[in-house]
Amino acid sequence: MLIIYLICKFLDLCKTVNDLSKRSREQTELLKQQNETLVKLGQIMIKINQDKEE
């Protein structure tokens, strides 16, 4: 009985670790998208400032 309990606990731990790594990958992807958006906004702002100076 104890062995079955330990196996179940181990599998539960594996699932938790898997879920955490999946969440981490999703957060990494979101940060990447946010950075790309910020870069685009920065480029637009630079262009607006250049247009004002002309």
Side-chain angles (χ1 to χ4, degrees), residues 9-22:
K9 278 291 173 195
F10 177 74
L11 291 175
D12 195 41
L13 179 65
C14 289
K15 182 183 179 307
T16 302
V17 169
N18 194 26
D19 289 347
L20 286 173
S21 66
K22 181 181 174 193

Side-chain angles (χ1 to χ4, degrees), residues 2-52:
L2 181 63
I3 292 174
I4 293 173
Y5 173 78
L6 289 174
I7 290 173
C8 287
K9 278 291 173 195
F10 177 74
L11 291 175
D12 195 41
L13 179 65
C14 289
K15 182 183 179 307
T16 302
V17 169
N18 194 26
D19 289 347
L20 286 173
S21 66
K22 181 181 174 193
R23 196 173 309 152
S24 177
R25 282 193 302 271
E26 290 169 352
Q27 287 177 337
T28 301
E29 184 59 33
L30 282 174
L31 281 173
K32 193 174 134 195
Q33 291 173 0
Q34 286 176 339
N35 283 341
E36 290 170 359
T37 303
L38 285 172
V39 167
K40 288 176 186 173
L41 279 173
Q43 291 170 342
I44 291 170
M45 291 171 76
I46 288 170
K47 176 138 182 45
I48 290 172
N49 283 337
Q50 287 173 343
D51 289 349
K52 281 183 182 176

